[in-house]
Amino acid sequence: MEKEEIMRLANRCLGCSAKPCMKGCPLSNDITDFIKCIKEEKYKEAYEVLLETTVLQPICGRICPHFKQCQGSCVRGIKGEPVSIGILEQFIGDMAIEKGWKIGKLAEDNGKKIAIIGGGPAGITASAYLARRGFRVSIYEKHSNLRRTFILWNT
């Protein structure tokens, strides 16, 4: 999607102080703040806002049931179309991949190991956040060839 269209979609957000969209999000993504960053063309900052609660922006932007969650809580939807939150999240996630933005470590390797059983969205997310905090994380899947180890982030 073109940046002009993304800006048009972002500018529909009213920046509500009560943040009903955030309350409708099961991850509590700070939607008004990440959209505010998009409006200011601070795309990496928008990514960092989303990174506080999700490492799967391009996926969530595509598959989350937005109309039942964040978009369903958007005040714009009362008398018309809600803000297209999913499209904006997808845009930022895709840009992060395109630009090679990292998930960034918050702590150095602490020497501790953690095993995560299951490599679905929850397992991947837990692994990413634990790795950011210095843990050596291994994901174990039903099929051994799917095992992944996340040790180095942002190298």
Side-chain angles (χ1 to χ4, degrees), residues 93-111:
D94 289 350
M95 182 178 281
I97 292 169
E98 177 187 314
K99 303 250 185 213
W101 294 337
K102 303 293 181 186
I103 293 177
K105 290 185 85 162
L106 300 175
E108 293 302 314
D109 186 342
N110 63 22

Side-chain angles (χ1 to χ4, degrees), residues 8-153:
R8 186 187 71 72
L9 295 175
N11 283 322
R12 293 194 68 248
C13 178
L14 301 172
C16 305
S17 59
K19 300 185 179 190
C21 52
M22 184 175 171
K23 292 174 185 164
C25 175
L27 298 176
S28 296
N29 286 338
D30 196 338
I31 295 163
T32 54
D33 281 1
F34 105 80
I35 293 176
K36 179 179 180 273
C37 292
I38 292 173
K39 289 178 180 182
E40 296 170 356
E41 297 186 39
K42 297 177 181 176
Y43 304 120
K44 188 160 187 192
E45 285 182 36
Y47 169 71
E48 290 167 355
V49 168
L50 286 171
L51 194 57
E52 292 176 21
T53 49
T54 183
V55 294
L56 302 172
Q57 306 92 346
I59 296 167
C60 291
R62 288 176 169 83
I63 67 168
C64 281
H66 299 98
F67 284 101
K68 292 181 180 179
Q69 298 173 351
C70 56
Q71 285 179 209
S73 301
C74 177
V75 297
R76 281 274 191 186
I78 294 170
K79 292 186 177 183
E81 287 294 314
V83 175
S84 300
I85 298 165
I87 292 171
L88 297 172
E89 183 177 14
Q90 177 183 331
F91 172 77
I92 292 299
D94 289 350
M95 182 178 281
I97 292 169
E98 177 187 314
K99 303 250 185 213
W101 294 337
K102 303 293 181 186
I103 293 177
K105 290 185 85 162
L106 300 175
E108 293 302 314
D109 186 342
N110 63 22
K112 296 179 182 176
K113 298 178 183 179
I114 294 181
I116 301 289
I117 309 302
I124 291 170
T125 300
S127 297
Y129 286 114
L130 289 165
R132 290 182 80 200
R133 286 166 178 76
F135 293 91
R136 292 180 180 212
V137 180
S138 292
I139 298 176
Y140 292 90
E141 258 303 330
K142 182 177 182 179
H143 304 288
S144 62
N145 63 334
L146 296 177
R147 180 174 171 242
R148 302 287 184 256
T149 302
F150 295 95
I151 297 174
L152 300 175
W153 292 78

